[in-house]
Amino acid sequence: MGMDWEPWPPLQRKSNHVFVKLLVLVLLLGLSFRLLFSRSAVFLPVSESPAAVAETASSTAVVVGVVGDAEPREGSPLTDSAAPVTEEVFDDGKASQQGTISNADKCDLFTGEWIPNPSGPAYTNASCRFIEYPQNCLKNGRPDTGYLFWRWKPHGCDVPPFNAEKFLNAMRNKSWGLIGDSILRNHAQSLICLLSKAEEAVEVYHADQYKSRRWLFPSHNFTLSLIWTPFLIKAEIFENDDGESKSENRLHIDTLDKKWTSQYNNFDYVVISGGQWFLKTAIYMENNTVIGCHYCPKLNMSEVSLEYAYSKILNSVYNFVTTSGHKPVVIYRTWTPDHFEYGEWFSGGVCNRTVPYKIGEFNGSNVDHVMRKIEVEEFRRAVVVEGSETGVRLKLLDTYELSWLRPDAHSGPYRKFHPFDKDKNAKVQNDCLHWCLPGAIDTWNDLIMELILGE
Ligand SMILES: *[C@@H]1O[C@H](CO)[C@@H](O)[C@H](O)[C@H]1NC(C)=O
Ligand SMILES: *[C@@H]1O[C@H](CO)[C@@H](O)[C@H](O)[C@H]1NC(C)=O
Ligand SMILES: *[C@@H]1O[C@H](CO)[C@@H](O)[C@H](O)[C@H]1NC(C)=O
Ligand SMILES: *[C@@H]1O[C@H](CO)[C@@H](O)[C@H](O)[C@H]1NC(C)=O
Ligand SMILES: *[C@@H]1O[C@H](CO)[C@@H](O)[C@H](O)[C@H]1NC(C)=O
Ligand SMILES: *[C@@H]1O[C@H](CO)[C@@H](O)[C@H](O)[C@H]1NC(C)=O
Ligand SMILES: *[C@@H]1O[C@H](CO)[C@@H](O)[C@H](O)[C@H]1NC(C)=O
């Protein structure tokens, strides 16, 4: 499998370190991706210290029957090529299903804390055969298991565990579209694993590289489609699956990607997320004309800011959704933070914590806050300005805060099979962006269940 080792985001635009980082960028750009990927890659001493928070991240966005906002990002160290799943024995996972009812109307599901959960995850690496191997941390030999024993506790209510039977019964004859990047694929695997307690999925379609796929749950006639479109807009991506790049990606900022818009009418529920790909170097086009470049110090082009590009793109997405004659339930999942420490993804960064952050211990980085803020603003605008008149059912799945509190839940070096077996001190590139399964992001699905089926 390949990794998307794109230049990691240009670093907090609002920090004081802009110059240092620019310098680093220039250096970086001078290097070929190939170089970056090689084991002996340059170790640049860029440390990502938990940046001061530019804004408060508490999610107070509750609009018109919509709860919360926030989530993950991707497109750097992350792999966007999917491995075909290997078959494994199926047996039933454990996990209790006590059905507490939470009052989602009154409680902000997305503000809370992680508390110990002795009963552990809802499925295991043995009970679910749909975990792709870079996420299968147990199989890959991750030695600590403490990260599996936490559950998300919103202030003032509880999130009931995912109930596969109830979900599938409610979704009989329905179709879901999951639209986004490899973190959404990570998310989809979690959903399929949770559902496999009630019924196992059958893959009915896949595109090259297994990036876009479709599964059917035959006895419920429930269809789940995963559509890989990391930018959501029309993009010419000039990089291979190892993240080697021949040229800057070209993004048509005013044109949505037909890959998802052409299928939109098939779905009863849609989950969309943007992500870390936006942090990459890219030439932006508007009206088929180059308007500038994001993060291209070597090219003599005007800078297109993340703020401009991302808000414009989300605005187009919501505009499409609210003006479409088709009215599925649309869930936007917010930004996902990464947790590289002691370096960036390309410079030896790791995520070796084994417990969640306590509230206030880490507040997310500036770029995380900037991106999520745009997501919340555009979401609100869509709901308040447009949604109220169009009857569109929009929901914000604000997984941002609960995800940033989980530095312990990424694959890290265990995206590879037993990385330290041969050499305890092996230098292994860490994945501190995608998440182990089972693990923290199973909670995203508990929350989706509560958002759409909670009483
Ligand atoms: C599941 O993980 C355990 C380690 O916790 C490992 O021994 C086992 O081989 C794994 N099984 C599968 C099917 O991945
Ligand atoms: C599902 O579709 C089948 C065939 O069209 C129909 O008989 C059945 O009533 C539908 N079930 C639900 C819950 O809509
Ligand atoms: C499955 O659901 C679709 C609607 O999504 C419906 O058209 C079809 O008839 C259903 N098939 C069966 C076998 O129930
Ligand atoms: C796009 O191009 C057309 C024709 O070249 C022009 O009329 C229009 O104003 C342009 N739109 C924008 C947003 O620049
Ligand atoms: C960059 O572009 C500007 C305006 O297009 C031009 O005046 C300037 O000479 C260019 N600089 C270089 C180094 O090419
Ligand atoms: C995590 O990794 C860093 C850098 O390699 C190291 O200094 C630190 O001791 C490690 N922490 C733990 C808990 O292993
Ligand atoms: C995070 O924010 C809280 C509240 O603003 C503050 O008390 C705390 O010191 C911050 N933590 C860090 C690591 O910056």
Side-chain angles (χ1 to χ4, degrees), residues 95-101 117 119-120 122 151 158-164 166 194 197 442-443 445-447 449-450:
S96 59
Q97 300 264 11
Q98 81 271 19
T100 28
I101 290 168
N117 176 31
S119 62
R151 79 179 169 89
D158 277 302
V159 188
F162 191 88
N163 183 331
K166 179 177 169 190
L194 290 166
K197 289 192 72 168
D442 294 321
T443 296
N445 289 312
D446 299 344
L447 290 165
M449 175 111 193
E450 191 60 14

Side-chain angles (χ1 to χ4, degrees), residues 161-200:
F162 191 88
N163 183 331
E165 203 66 66
K166 179 177 169 190
F167 182 96
L168 283 172
N169 284 333
M171 294 303 150
R172 197 172 287 279
N173 293 353
K174 300 255 189 279
S175 182
W176 280 50
L178 273 48
I179 298 164
D181 57 28
S182 62
I183 294 194
L184 198 54
R185 193 167 63 230
N186 202 169
H187 182 173
Q189 288 168 52
S190 161
L191 180 57
I192 291 171
C193 284
L194 290 166
L195 290 173
S196 65
K197 289 192 72 168
E199 184 179 7
E200 206 173 346

